[in-house]
Amino acid sequence: MEAFFEWFKWLYDDTGINLPFMYDSYDRGRMINGFFMTIKLSVLCLIFSIIIGMIGAWLQASPLKWTRRFVGGYIQLFRNTPPLVQLYFFYFAIGTMLPKVASDYGGEQPMLGGFAWAVISLSFFAGAFNVEIFRSGIEAVPNSTIEAAKALGFSRLQIYKDITLPLAFRVVLPALANNLVNLVKTTTLAYAIAVPEMLYEANQIWSDNVNVTEMMIFMLLAYFLLVGVLVWAMNRWERSLKIPGYGA
Amino acid sequence: MKKLLKGSIAAVVFGALAMTSMAVQADVIDDIKKRGVLKVGVKADYKPYGFRDPSGKIVGIEPELAQDVAKKLGVKVEFIPVVSSNRMQFLQQGKVDLMIATMTDKPARRKVVSIVDPNYYSSGTNILAPKKFGFKKWEDLRGKPVCGIQGAFYNKKTGKEFGAKIVAFKGTAEVYAALKAGNCVAFVYDDSSHVAKTKSKEWADYEMPLPTIDDAPWGLAVKLGETKFHEMMSGMIKDWHKSGRILALETKWGVENTPFAKAMNAKYK
């Protein structure tokens, strides 16, 4: 393994192509941590944003006027503001207003750190879009199906969970995949509030080594592969959920 | 799958081609004179070396030095605010003609931009921390979150050798907000900036407690290959040291005269 890493040192000396995250163990550690941080952030945001989307779409069809208005307001607020502004807002505005907790070293620190705020903010951001995406799917479920379920004595929650949502899911998958791809790419914004994800670490490495071109090419490839995996998984999921005769 | 693979290869090749920049070599002094404007990359968040006054204008020690250069060339000056992580790229891409942006002179940087000798200034690294923590040595920072600026070279050292967890932001404004909010216990940055900060009333509970490390010279830079401009700047820096211009600017902007500036003044006098 060591010889493999040494080869990149030689590559730098010989050709000027500088990939310090291969031969410098500290930079390598940073890059690996950044990679896993990006994955952790992406996966958590994906899960929460889908949950928010499903619950939001259900509440949106609620018979209560104020519940519908609340969901509508949430969508407007999060869909109509840039995610970077939201991150800054949560971290610097809301974060400093919350009560502080004692830290391990005798000081006081805010209750939630950069990572927690990034997960909250990006989940709500993508969740707002997911609510609308799920609504489109729910509205595509034929009314007669729902009436049939009502006639069989299903409750409103049962109809949503067992009949509307599974059918809607198949309709919304392409749009959902689109939004989730966007979400993974948006996690790069978390570096503005010092979440050490992949772009943040790459930025520090290219500043230390002045190898901007190499790092940019590497970042492009890394995200290309990462999002490629997600797209591939979503496509497989779509295929496995397919019901013959339903939809296109 | 095959189609996808082909598509990805095409995308990568296209990307690589787009990144290959075409360097055009012409004498930049002629360009500046023709244009009538000298574009200088300076800091806009680094009091008192380059910052915005209440009216939004960029002022400070480095902008004044830039003004001297413009005066000598007989042109107007335009300040372009840069940050640590993009300043060398601004110069490489020709967005600025000259960069005076508190940049530490490093061998790796000399490969990318043309840093002018002699150095015009110098500073070391220290932390700004609340007095209540009572930090005494750099090792006290181990395992604690320490704020920094994205792209500063001492982030690596503070993290690697002293074990601090670096929390780096884009600009100093974010760092000061985070430091006050308690997101980090200290701010690792140039000592020259901390000296000015601890003097202000708002930061009276903060101190610069550690021994300064890495005292290193700052370099102003021109684009690689601009030999004529490089030589002219070299002469200007010598004049600044000789005439005591740097010392006078320090006094004007409320910085105690640094040992480096005094030594250079003595050397060239």
Side-chain angles (χ1 to χ4, degrees), chain B residues 246-269:
Chain B
I246 306 259
L247 291 168
L249 281 175
E250 281 184 327
T251 314
K252 177 178 170 188
W253 292 97
V255 183
E256 269 167 63
N257 286 148
T258 51
F260 176 85
K262 278 190 222 160
M264 291 304 260
N265 180 238
K267 185 176 163 192
Y268 284 100
K269 197 148 55 182

PDB file of all heavy atoms in Angstrom, chain B residues 246-269:
ATOM      1  N   ILE B 246       6.414  52.232   5.457  1.00  0.00           N
ATOM      2  CA  ILE B 246       5.698  51.152   6.158  1.00  0.00           C
ATOM      3  C   ILE B 246       5.512  51.511   7.628  1.00  0.00           C
ATOM      4  O   ILE B 246       4.418  51.365   8.184  1.00  0.00           O
ATOM      5  CB  ILE B 246       6.470  49.825   6.026  1.00  0.00           C
ATOM      6  CG1 ILE B 246       6.740  49.516   4.550  1.00  0.00           C
ATOM      7  CG2 ILE B 246       5.762  48.700   6.761  1.00  0.00           C
ATOM      8  CD1 ILE B 246       5.858  48.526   3.893  1.00  0.00           C
ATOM      9  N   LEU B 247       6.596  52.011   8.247  1.00  0.00           N
ATOM     10  CA  LEU B 247       6.520  52.401   9.662  1.00  0.00           C
ATOM     11  C   LEU B 247       5.475  53.485   9.865  1.00  0.00           C
ATOM     12  O   LEU B 247       4.664  53.444  10.796  1.00  0.00           O
ATOM     13  CB  LEU B 247       7.884  52.893  10.151  1.00  0.00           C
ATOM     14  CG  LEU B 247       8.978  51.819  10.254  1.00  0.00           C
ATOM     15  CD1 LEU B 247      10.335  52.472  10.467  1.00  0.00           C
ATOM     16  CD2 LEU B 247       8.679  50.849  11.372  1.00  0.00           C
ATOM     17  N   ALA B 248       5.464  54.470   8.926  1.00  0.00           N
ATOM     18  CA  ALA B 248       4.515  55.570   9.043  1.00  0.00           C
ATOM     19  C   ALA B 248       3.083  55.067   8.903  1.00  0.00           C
ATOM     20  O   ALA B 248       2.179  55.510   9.617  1.00  0.00           O
ATOM     21  CB  ALA B 248       4.819  56.618   7.973  1.00  0.00           C
ATOM     22  N   LEU B 249       2.873  54.120   7.977  1.00  0.00           N
ATOM     23  CA  LEU B 249       1.524  53.586   7.779  1.00  0.00           C
ATOM     24  C   LEU B 249       1.063  52.802   9.006  1.00  0.00           C
ATOM     25  O   LEU B 249      -0.107  52.875   9.394  1.00  0.00           O
ATOM     26  CB  LEU B 249       1.485  52.681   6.541  1.00  0.00           C
ATOM     27  CG  LEU B 249       1.416  53.387   5.193  1.00  0.00           C
ATOM     28  CD1 LEU B 249       1.516  52.379   4.054  1.00  0.00           C
ATOM     29  CD2 LEU B 249       0.130  54.186   5.052  1.00  0.00           C
ATOM     30  N   GLU B 250       1.976  52.051   9.604  1.00  0.00           N
ATOM     31  CA  GLU B 250       1.623  51.314  10.830  1.00  0.00           C
ATOM     32  C   GLU B 250       1.122  52.294  11.884  1.00  0.00           C
ATOM     33  O   GLU B 250       0.076  52.085  12.496  1.00  0.00           O
ATOM     34  CB  GLU B 250       2.846  50.563  11.369  1.00  0.00           C
ATOM     35  CG  GLU B 250       3.137  49.268  10.634  1.00  0.00           C
ATOM     36  CD  GLU B 250       4.297  48.513  11.258  1.00  0.00           C
ATOM     37  OE1 GLU B 250       5.225  49.160  11.774  1.00  0.00           O
ATOM     38  OE2 GLU B 250       4.279  47.274  11.216  1.00  0.00           O
ATOM     39  N   THR B 251       1.887  53.359  12.079  1.00  0.00           N
ATOM     40  CA  THR B 251       1.509  54.349  13.079  1.00  0.00           C
ATOM     41  C   THR B 251       0.162  54.965  12.739  1.00  0.00           C
ATOM     42  O   THR B 251      -0.712  55.106  13.590  1.00  0.00           O
ATOM     43  CB  THR B 251       2.581  55.450  13.150  1.00  0.00           C
ATOM     44  OG1 THR B 251       3.857  54.810  13.178  1.00  0.00           O
ATOM     45  CG2 THR B 251       2.408  56.302  14.385  1.00  0.00           C
ATOM     46  N   LYS B 252      -0.021  55.298  11.446  1.00  0.00           N
ATOM     47  CA  LYS B 252      -1.264  55.938  11.026  1.00  0.00           C
ATOM     48  C   LYS B 252      -2.475  55.052  11.324  1.00  0.00           C
ATOM     49  O   LYS B 252      -3.525  55.531  11.732  1.00  0.00           O
ATOM     50  CB  LYS B 252      -1.199  56.236   9.526  1.00  0.00           C
ATOM     51  CG  LYS B 252      -2.482  56.836   8.994  1.00  0.00           C
ATOM     52  CD  LYS B 252      -2.416  57.181   7.513  1.00  0.00           C
ATOM     53  CE  LYS B 252      -3.802  57.535   7.007  1.00  0.00           C
ATOM     54  NZ  LYS B 252      -3.851  57.694   5.560  1.00  0.00           N
ATOM     55  N   TRP B 253      -2.343  53.740  11.113  1.00  0.00           N
ATOM     56  CA  TRP B 253      -3.476  52.832  11.273  1.00  0.00           C
ATOM     57  C   TRP B 253      -3.496  52.152  12.641  1.00  0.00           C
ATOM     58  O   TRP B 253      -4.194  51.164  12.837  1.00  0.00           O
ATOM     59  CB  TRP B 253      -3.492  51.797  10.150  1.00  0.00           C
ATOM     60  CG  TRP B 253      -3.792  52.433   8.821  1.00  0.00           C
ATOM     61  CD1 TRP B 253      -2.886  52.822   7.880  1.00  0.00           C
ATOM     62  CD2 TRP B 253      -5.078  52.792   8.311  1.00  0.00           C
ATOM     63  NE1 TRP B 253      -3.514  53.396   6.818  1.00  0.00           N
ATOM     64  CE2 TRP B 253      -4.870  53.391   7.053  1.00  0.00           C
ATOM     65  CE3 TRP B 253      -6.391  52.669   8.797  1.00  0.00           C
ATOM     66  CZ2 TRP B 253      -5.924  53.865   6.276  1.00  0.00           C
ATOM     67  CZ3 TRP B 253      -7.423  53.143   8.024  1.00  0.00           C
ATOM     68  CH2 TRP B 253      -7.188  53.733   6.772  1.00  0.00           C
ATOM     69  N   GLY B 254      -2.684  52.671  13.570  1.00  0.00           N
ATOM     70  CA  GLY B 254      -2.800  52.206  14.947  1.00  0.00           C
ATOM     71  C   GLY B 254      -2.161  50.864  15.250  1.00  0.00           C
ATOM     72  O   GLY B 254      -2.600  50.153  16.134  1.00  0.00           O
ATOM     73  N   VAL B 255      -1.113  50.504  14.505  1.00  0.00           N
ATOM     74  CA  VAL B 255      -0.392  49.274  14.804  1.00  0.00           C
ATOM     75  C   VAL B 255       0.964  49.671  15.378  1.00  0.00           C
ATOM     76  O   VAL B 255       1.605  50.587  14.875  1.00  0.00           O
ATOM     77  CB  VAL B 255      -0.156  48.431  13.529  1.00  0.00           C
ATOM     78  CG1 VAL B 255       0.523  47.115  13.874  1.00  0.00           C
ATOM     79  CG2 VAL B 255      -1.463  48.190  12.815  1.00  0.00           C
ATOM     80  N   GLU B 256       1.384  48.969  16.433  1.00  0.00           N
ATOM     81  CA  GLU B 256       2.718  49.250  16.946  1.00  0.00           C
ATOM     82  C   GLU B 256       3.748  48.856  15.890  1.00  0.00           C
ATOM     83  O   GLU B 256       3.558  47.861  15.191  1.00  0.00           O
ATOM     84  CB  GLU B 256       2.964  48.425  18.215  1.00  0.00           C
ATOM     85  CG  GLU B 256       2.564  49.160  19.470  1.00  0.00           C
ATOM     86  CD  GLU B 256       2.530  48.211  20.652  1.00  0.00           C
ATOM     87  OE1 GLU B 256       3.593  47.665  20.984  1.00  0.00           O
ATOM     88  OE2 GLU B 256       1.438  48.019  21.211  1.00  0.00           O
ATOM     89  N   ASN B 257       4.820  49.602  15.793  1.00  0.00           N
ATOM     90  CA  ASN B 257       5.835  49.278  14.783  1.00  0.00           C
ATOM     91  C   ASN B 257       6.375  47.869  15.026  1.00  0.00           C
ATOM     92  O   ASN B 257       6.808  47.531  16.115  1.00  0.00           O
ATOM     93  CB  ASN B 257       6.977  50.288  14.821  1.00  0.00           C
ATOM     94  CG  ASN B 257       6.555  51.618  14.208  1.00  0.00           C
ATOM     95  OD1 ASN B 257       7.007  52.667  14.601  1.00  0.00           O
ATOM     96  ND2 ASN B 257       5.648  51.575  13.247  1.00  0.00           N
ATOM     97  N   THR B 258       6.300  47.045  13.973  1.00  0.00           N
ATOM     98  CA  THR B 258       6.738  45.659  14.119  1.00  0.00           C
ATOM     99  C   THR B 258       8.252  45.573  13.974  1.00  0.00           C
ATOM    100  O   THR B 258       8.855  46.392  13.269  1.00  0.00           O
ATOM    101  CB  THR B 258       6.079  44.772  13.046  1.00  0.00           C
ATOM    102  OG1 THR B 258       6.279  45.389  11.780  1.00  0.00           O
ATOM    103  CG2 THR B 258       4.606  44.599  13.300  1.00  0.00           C
ATOM    104  N   PRO B 259       8.858  44.573  14.644  1.00  0.00           N
ATOM    105  CA  PRO B 259      10.315  44.419  14.534  1.00  0.00           C
ATOM    106  C   PRO B 259      10.785  44.284  13.091  1.00  0.00           C
ATOM    107  O   PRO B 259      11.819  44.830  12.703  1.00  0.00           O
ATOM    108  CB  PRO B 259      10.584  43.120  15.313  1.00  0.00           C
ATOM    109  CG  PRO B 259       9.417  42.958  16.206  1.00  0.00           C
ATOM    110  CD  PRO B 259       8.257  43.609  15.546  1.00  0.00           C
ATOM    111  N   PHE B 260       9.974  43.589  12.278  1.00  0.00           N
ATOM    112  CA  PHE B 260      10.343  43.378  10.882  1.00  0.00           C
ATOM    113  C   PHE B 260      10.466  44.710  10.138  1.00  0.00           C
ATOM    114  O   PHE B 260      11.470  44.986   9.463  1.00  0.00           O
ATOM    115  CB  PHE B 260       9.317  42.481  10.198  1.00  0.00           C
ATOM    116  CG  PHE B 260       9.568  42.279   8.719  1.00  0.00           C
ATOM    117  CD1 PHE B 260      10.438  41.304   8.278  1.00  0.00           C
ATOM    118  CD2 PHE B 260       8.927  43.084   7.777  1.00  0.00           C
ATOM    119  CE1 PHE B 260      10.672  41.122   6.925  1.00  0.00           C
ATOM    120  CE2 PHE B 260       9.162  42.908   6.418  1.00  0.00           C
ATOM    121  CZ  PHE B 260      10.038  41.917   6.000  1.00  0.00           C
ATOM    122  N   ALA B 261       9.448  45.562  10.299  1.00  0.00           N
ATOM    123  CA  ALA B 261       9.452  46.851   9.588  1.00  0.00           C
ATOM    124  C   ALA B 261      10.626  47.709  10.043  1.00  0.00           C
ATOM    125  O   ALA B 261      11.258  48.393   9.227  1.00  0.00           O
ATOM    126  CB  ALA B 261       8.123  47.570   9.822  1.00  0.00           C
ATOM    127  N   LYS B 262      10.925  47.655  11.348  1.00  0.00           N
ATOM    128  CA  LYS B 262      12.052  48.441  11.861  1.00  0.00           C
ATOM    129  C   LYS B 262      13.374  47.938  11.281  1.00  0.00           C
ATOM    130  O   LYS B 262      14.219  48.731  10.859  1.00  0.00           O
ATOM    131  CB  LYS B 262      12.096  48.346  13.390  1.00  0.00           C
ATOM    132  CG  LYS B 262      11.124  49.310  14.066  1.00  0.00           C
ATOM    133  CD  LYS B 262      11.388  49.333  15.572  1.00  0.00           C
ATOM    134  CE  LYS B 262      10.090  49.344  16.346  1.00  0.00           C
ATOM    135  NZ  LYS B 262      10.204  48.924  17.720  1.00  0.00           N
ATOM    136  N   ALA B 263      13.532  46.613  11.256  1.00  0.00           N
ATOM    137  CA  ALA B 263      14.771  46.024  10.757  1.00  0.00           C
ATOM    138  C   ALA B 263      14.981  46.361   9.282  1.00  0.00           C
ATOM    139  O   ALA B 263      16.093  46.685   8.854  1.00  0.00           O
ATOM    140  CB  ALA B 263      14.742  44.507  10.959  1.00  0.00           C
ATOM    141  N   MET B 264      13.906  46.279   8.493  1.00  0.00           N
ATOM    142  CA  MET B 264      14.028  46.552   7.068  1.00  0.00           C
ATOM    143  C   MET B 264      14.361  48.023   6.830  1.00  0.00           C
ATOM    144  O   MET B 264      15.138  48.360   5.938  1.00  0.00           O
ATOM    145  CB  MET B 264      12.726  46.192   6.338  1.00  0.00           C
ATOM    146  CG  MET B 264      12.449  44.719   6.274  1.00  0.00           C
ATOM    147  SD  MET B 264      13.786  43.756   5.534  1.00  0.00           S
ATOM    148  CE  MET B 264      13.192  43.522   3.882  1.00  0.00           C
ATOM    149  N   ASN B 265      13.762  48.878   7.650  1.00  0.00           N
ATOM    150  CA  ASN B 265      14.043  50.303   7.529  1.00  0.00           C
ATOM    151  C   ASN B 265      15.529  50.580   7.789  1.00  0.00           C
ATOM    152  O   ASN B 265      16.183  51.323   7.061  1.00  0.00           O
ATOM    153  CB  ASN B 265      13.160  51.077   8.507  1.00  0.00           C
ATOM    154  CG  ASN B 265      13.401  52.579   8.430  1.00  0.00           C
ATOM    155  OD1 ASN B 265      13.743  53.201   9.423  1.00  0.00           O
ATOM    156  ND2 ASN B 265      13.242  53.149   7.246  1.00  0.00           N
ATOM    157  N   ALA B 266      16.066  49.902   8.844  1.00  0.00           N
ATOM    158  CA  ALA B 266      17.481  50.087   9.178  1.00  0.00           C
ATOM    159  C   ALA B 266      18.376  49.558   8.066  1.00  0.00           C
ATOM    160  O   ALA B 266      19.407  50.130   7.734  1.00  0.00           O
ATOM    161  CB  ALA B 266      17.786  49.381  10.497  1.00  0.00           C
ATOM    162  N   LYS B 267      17.940  48.446   7.468  1.00  0.00           N
ATOM    163  CA  LYS B 267      18.759  47.786   6.455  1.00  0.00           C
ATOM    164  C   LYS B 267      18.880  48.626   5.177  1.00  0.00           C
ATOM    165  O   LYS B 267      19.944  48.709   4.569  1.00  0.00           O
ATOM    166  CB  LYS B 267      18.118  46.435   6.117  1.00  0.00           C
ATOM    167  CG  LYS B 267      18.936  45.588   5.160  1.00  0.00           C
ATOM    168  CD  LYS B 267      18.262  44.234   4.960  1.00  0.00           C
ATOM    169  CE  LYS B 267      18.807  43.549   3.737  1.00  0.00           C
ATOM    170  NZ  LYS B 267      17.985  42.379   3.371  1.00  0.00           N
ATOM    171  N   TYR B 268      17.795  49.264   4.770  1.00  0.00           N
ATOM    172  CA  TYR B 268      17.811  49.970   3.482  1.00  0.00           C
ATOM    173  C   TYR B 268      18.122  51.455   3.611  1.00  0.00           C
ATOM    174  O   TYR B 268      18.240  52.153   2.628  1.00  0.00           O
ATOM    175  CB  TYR B 268      16.474  49.768   2.763  1.00  0.00           C
ATOM    176  CG  TYR B 268      16.358  48.393   2.154  1.00  0.00           C
ATOM    177  CD1 TYR B 268      15.643  47.388   2.780  1.00  0.00           C
ATOM    178  CD2 TYR B 268      17.014  48.103   0.952  1.00  0.00           C
ATOM    179  CE1 TYR B 268      15.563  46.127   2.228  1.00  0.00           C
ATOM    180  CE2 TYR B 268      16.946  46.841   0.395  1.00  0.00           C
ATOM    181  CZ  TYR B 268      16.221  45.853   1.035  1.00  0.00           C
ATOM    182  OH  TYR B 268      16.150  44.609   0.483  1.00  0.00           O
ATOM    183  N   LYS B 269      18.210  51.920   4.866  1.00  0.00           N
ATOM    184  CA  LYS B 269      18.400  53.360   5.068  1.00  0.00           C
ATOM    185  C   LYS B 269      19.777  53.800   4.564  1.00  0.00           C
ATOM    186  O   LYS B 269      20.745  53.092   4.706  1.00  0.00           O
ATOM    187  CB  LYS B 269      18.196  53.708   6.546  1.00  0.00           C
ATOM    188  CG  LYS B 269      17.971  55.188   6.715  1.00  0.00           C
ATOM    189  CD  LYS B 269      17.040  55.566   7.889  1.00  0.00           C
ATOM    190  CE  LYS B 269      17.406  55.057   9.237  1.00  0.00           C
ATOM    191  NZ  LYS B 269      16.432  55.431  10.273  1.00  0.00           N
TER     192      LYS B 269
END
